[in-house]
Amino acid sequence: MKKVLPQHTDHAGVMWHGAYIAWLEEARVQALEMAGLPYEELTSQGFEMPVVRLNIKYLKAAIHGDEVVMESVHLSRNRLRLPWKTVFFKEGGEVIAIAEVELVLVKQEVGNTKLVKNVPLQVEEALTNLRKGP
């Protein structure tokens, strides 16, 4: 659960659209950690997961002081893309936003970044665990 704080809002006290993006990143990193893959471990091996597509449908405003719950799930891999769907709820279950994000896995080497076509076993296992759910 996240609380909408002043730094998340615009001058009218409404959650700023960019704050959703930061929360999406936090949710993905936490989900991978709960699935057995700490993001620090991934990056220490030279891997990153940049966003290649992002779509957020805003349905209702989140206001300063609101408590927001996010449900973030990893969907089945589509070739090289790693899709996620996150639903943002206010207290009481009202859906306020739905986000769809696609990532790719890249390997950073000295002076070069390469798209990873064969996902390492540890990453695939974590993604499989996420699709299975708790």
Side-chain angles (χ1 to χ4, degrees):
M1 182 175 298
K2 304 286 283 182
K3 186 170 187 168
V4 180
L5 301 173
Q7 66 264 29
H8 302 132
T9 64
D10 61 16
H11 295 289
V14 175
M15 188 160 155
W16 175 62
H17 68 278
Y20 286 85
I21 296 168
W23 284 9
L24 287 168
E25 184 73 14
E26 290 175 29
R28 284 193 307 276
V29 169
Q30 289 173 355
L32 285 170
E33 287 178 359
M34 290 189 318
L37 181 62
Y39 205 83
E40 298 87 18
E41 184 178 318
L42 193 66
T43 58
S44 71
Q45 295 174 23
F47 293 104
E48 288 290 343
M49 292 178 148
V51 173
V52 293
R53 189 180 76 78
L54 169 66
N55 182 37
I56 303 176
K57 184 175 183 179
Y58 302 97
L59 303 169
K60 299 276 183 177
I63 307 298
H64 175 217
D66 282 348
E67 297 283 342
V68 178
V69 174
M70 297 180 301
E71 290 184 6
S72 189
V73 295
H74 169 67
L75 306 172
S76 293
R77 193 159 46 115
N78 180 3
R79 296 185 192 170
L80 301 177
R81 295 186 179 229
L82 308 170
W84 293 77
K85 182 177 181 179
T86 302
V87 180
F88 296 80
F89 299 92
K90 274 189 183 182
E91 285 183 289
E94 180 180 25
V95 176
I96 60 172
I98 300 170
E100 296 174 349
V101 180
E102 287 184 354
L103 306 140
V104 292
L105 184 66
V106 297
K107 175 84 172 186
Q108 295 181 328
E109 298 170 357
V110 178
N112 193 11
T113 300
K114 292 184 178 184
L115 184 62
V116 175
K117 295 180 181 177
N118 296 315
V119 176
L121 182 61
Q122 68 186 34
V123 175
E124 190 61 54
E125 286 176 348
L127 296 175
T128 299
N129 288 339
L130 286 171
R131 286 190 301 273
K132 288 179 186 175

